[in-house]
Amino acid sequence: MSSGSTPAAALRASIDLARATEALGFHRYWVAEHHSMPGIASSSPAVLIGYLAEATSTLRLGSGGVMLPNHAPLVVAEQFGMLETMHPGRIDLGIGRAPGTDQVTAHALRRTADLSADDFPQELAELMAFLDGTFPEDHPYRRIKVVPGGRPAIWLLGSSGFSAQLAGVLGLPFAFAHHFSAQNTDAAMELYRSSFQPSETLDHPYAMVTAAVVCADTSHEAERLSAPMGLSMLRLRKGEPGLLPTPEEALAYPYTAQESGIVASITESHVIGDQETVRRGLAELRERTRADELMISSNIGDPKARLRSFELVAEAHPEILRGAVAS
């Protein structure tokens, strides 16, 4: 959500973008979960996915992701079982193990101080057992029924090796957050493939890589549009989250040498430029990582400029339109 906008306007723009990218031929559209973040109007992926599904007809809609430490597994199973029942074959349940917020907010969500990522494998197993009805006979949750009981596609999300290895061991599809953890991409993808064990879900590894992309008619315009991402991430790292700055705000900001270095390290993996530059950058990323899909994250404040970015990518990459688009 950018300066001068509102949560309602940002949500309407996300729905408009879903319709537009569906028309362009994109295959998948995911929304994130963040809490207590003034610049991100996406605290409830399940609710937003319902609206997106009603506004579209062919897109796969999903969470990128549901942060499982924030929720009881049964609640997630019921929410996404409901979505899958209403929109069969179109719902992805992307699961992450980070809280996606600060510890105080996480406590308010889960109502316990005992929050640990170490519990993630057990909570994931519970979630899958609720969805599949596979609790052992002697399990205390055996008699609980998820109603309605639709079964969405489950993905594991990650920015390091932990979820990559777990996704491989469980035989689940894996999505890696290259857009903010590029230094770990290659190692995580290799770990996922080397750990992979066939399952009822998959008989071979299936991986998606998310890239931060800003594409415009000229490289100069793309650089201008991308400037707010660096300043926004810098403020977040300083504990000062806020609305996405305008390009003018970001370009006028008096960066210190240290701050400039931080921004450069954050954005060095971003694919920014005109259509040909972005085409080459995405082709190189896909070839290097051997990703089955690319997901595009374009944090552009102007909805028209954001849509234009996706239009240019669609024109440049007709062969990968099964790749994903993220709001």
Side-chain angles (χ1 to χ4, degrees), residues 196-219:
F196 187 84
Q197 299 178 21
S199 68
E200 292 184 7
T201 301
L202 287 176
D203 59 8
H204 62 277
Y206 194 91
M208 179 160 61
V209 170
T210 302
V213 176
V214 175
C215 191
D217 292 290
T218 67
S219 291

Side-chain angles (χ1 to χ4, degrees), residues 242-309:
L243 299 179
L244 182 71
T246 64
E248 292 70 28
E249 288 178 79
L251 292 170
Y253 182 83
Y255 294 94
T256 66
Q258 182 182 23
E259 289 174 336
S260 294
I262 293 171
V263 170
S265 68
I266 292 170
T267 61
E268 64 180 349
S269 68
H270 294 184
V271 183
I272 299 166
D274 61 14
Q275 189 177 53
E276 178 56 24
T277 300
V278 169
R279 187 197 67 76
R280 289 197 308 268
L282 291 179
E284 290 168 0
L285 176 63
R286 193 177 191 202
E287 181 178 1
R288 194 188 85 225
T289 61
R290 295 183 288 140
D292 297 284
E293 293 187 27
L294 294 180
M295 172 170 279
I296 297 167
S297 175
S298 293
N299 197 5
I300 302 171
D302 179 356
K304 291 182 179 179
R306 183 170 62 167
L307 175 56
R308 181 58 178 160
S309 181

